[in-house]
Amino acid sequence: MAKLYSRKKLKTMSPKKETINFLLNYSKALKISTYKKLEFESILN
Amino acid sequence: MNNAEANDAFLVKSYMEGDEQSLSILINRHQQRIYSFIFSKVFDKDIAEDIFQDTFIKVIRTLKRGKYNEEGKFLPWVMRISHNLVIDHFRKNKRMPKFENSGDFNIFSVLCDSGLNAEKQIIKDQIEADVQELIKELPEDQLEVLVMRIYKDMSFKEISERTGVSINTALGRMRYALINLRKVIEKHNLVLTN
C-alpha cells in the first residue's frame, strides 16, 4: 500500500514561550528618555 | 484596521507610538521564520533561542529609540540582525572554541583544578591556625627551632649558627618539638587532617 507522505506533519520550529514572554516584558519595562543629546535607558522592573 | 491583520509597517509605527500589543503580533507573526533561520545556521536549540532573544532585544531598543526607518522591510531588517548575530556567535566560538564532551573520552579526566575548593581551603586555614596556637605550648628552645625550620625554612646549619648550639642539638630539639606536639594533639583529641 502506498504511503501517505502528505499526512506527515512538518515539525515547526518556534522559540519557547518563556523567551517570547521575556521579550514582551522587556519591551514593557524598557524606557528610553532623552535629555538634550543624551539618551538614557532604564528598565522599570 | 484590525491590528491582527495590519501590515508590518503599520504595526511597527503603532509600536513606536507606544502600543505594546503590536510587538506581540509582530513577534508571533515572524517568530517561526526567524527562529528556523537561526536554527538552520547554528543547529542548537539553546543557542538559537539565545540569538533569537538577542535579535529582538536589538529590535526593541532600536524601535524604542525611534532609530528605525520604515521602508516596508521589517522582516528583512530583523533577519539581517539575526544573521549578524549568528556571525558574531561563530566568531566568538572561533576565538574561544568550546570543547564538547562526547563519547568515552572525558576532558575532565585529564584536566583538573588542583586548587582546593572553598570548604577545603577554610579547613586548611583553620588547621594552620590551630597548629600555630598549639606550638605555643612547646618549651621555648624547641619552639624556636621549629619556627625557624618550618616557618622560616632555614637549614639546621643556619639554625645552629643562629641559636648558638650544635647541629645535633638543633636536630634533637626539632625531634622533641614534634614528639611533644603529637602528645599535645593526642591529649586534646584533636583531628588535624583535611
Side-chain angles (χ1 to χ4, degrees):
Chain A
M1 216 168 88
K3 282 180 184 169
L4 290 168
Y5 291 104
S6 56
R7 285 261 176 97
K8 204 174 171 184
K9 250 192 162 176
L10 268 174
K11 211 179 156 193
T12 52
M13 300 203 67
S14 317
K16 284 184 204 153
K17 257 201 160 153
E18 290 90 327
T19 311
I20 306 290
N21 285 338
F22 167 81
L23 288 166
L24 295 175
N25 290 332
Y26 173 78
S27 164
K28 282 176 195 157
L30 182 71
K31 192 170 187 296
I32 292 180
S33 30
T34 46
Y35 173 75
K36 291 182 182 170
K37 278 185 178 176
L38 299 172
E39 267 186 1
F40 299 97
E41 260 184 36
S42 47
I43 303 279
L44 307 171
N45 261 347
Chain B
M1 184 164 28
N2 187 349
N3 247 8
E5 294 163 7
N7 64 19
D8 289 354
F10 176 79
L11 290 171
V12 169
K13 192 171 166 279
S14 66
Y15 174 65
M16 285 167 85
E17 285 163 1
D19 177 22
E20 295 290 334
Q21 185 61 25
S22 306
L23 178 74
S24 167
I25 298 168
L26 279 170
I27 292 179
N28 279 327
R29 186 176 286 173
H30 299 300
Q31 57 168 329
Q32 222 166 306
R33 251 183 106 174
I34 297 166
Y35 184 82
S36 307
F37 166 74
I38 300 167
F39 186 82
S40 72
K41 306 283 178 225
V42 296
F43 293 110
D44 184 302
K45 276 189 177 173
D46 293 328
I47 295 169
E49 201 87 29
D50 281 354
I51 295 177
F52 179 85
Q53 187 173 303
D54 289 347
T55 303
F56 272 96
I57 285 179
K58 278 200 171 193
V59 169
I60 290 167
R61 289 173 69 180
T62 312
L63 293 180
K64 287 238 168 184
R65 282 206 168 107
K67 295 265 171 75
Y68 176 70
N69 237 348
E70 177 53 57
E71 290 169 348
K73 288 177 179 171
F74 177 73
L75 184 61
W77 174 60
V78 181
M79 291 290 243
R80 171 52 58 182
I81 294 176
S82 60
H83 178 255
N84 290 343
L85 287 173
V86 167
I87 292 173
D88 284 352
H89 162 75
F90 283 116
R91 269 199 202 130
K92 201 165 67 194
N93 259 13
K94 208 175 164 191
R95 265 206 312 271
M96 208 187 282
K98 193 171 124 198
F99 184 84
E100 298 274 1
N101 257 339
S102 53
D104 300 330
F105 179 69
N106 185 350
I107 186 69
F108 293 109
S109 62
V110 278
L111 269 182
C112 66
D113 181 8
S114 55
L116 294 171
N117 62 25
E119 188 191 353
K120 289 199 167 163
Q121 187 60 48
I122 292 171
I123 295 173
K124 186 172 176 277
D125 292 345
Q126 276 176 0
I127 291 172
E128 283 173 0
D130 287 347
V131 171
Q132 281 192 0
E133 283 302 308
L134 278 179
I135 59 171
K136 287 178 187 162
E137 306 245 332
L138 293 172
E140 189 59 37
D141 53 347
Q142 293 171 17
L143 172 67
E144 192 184 22
V145 174
L146 185 132
V147 168
M148 285 183 188
R149 180 72 197 120
I150 305 294
Y151 291 102
K152 296 181 182 166
D153 207 21
M154 290 162 70
S155 68
F156 281 103
K157 191 165 177 270
E158 286 167 327
I159 294 169
S160 74
E161 281 164 8
R162 179 73 63 86
T163 53
V165 295
S166 69
I167 292 179
N168 275 338
T169 310
L171 279 166
R173 282 178 183 172
M174 182 70 195
R175 184 166 169 268
Y176 280 111
L178 294 178
I179 290 170
N180 286 331
L181 208 52
R182 281 198 193 102
K183 274 186 193 162
V184 176
I185 291 167
E186 265 174 39
K187 198 175 98 191
H188 294 290
N189 251 343
L190 300 173
V191 181
L192 297 173
T193 45
N194 203 336

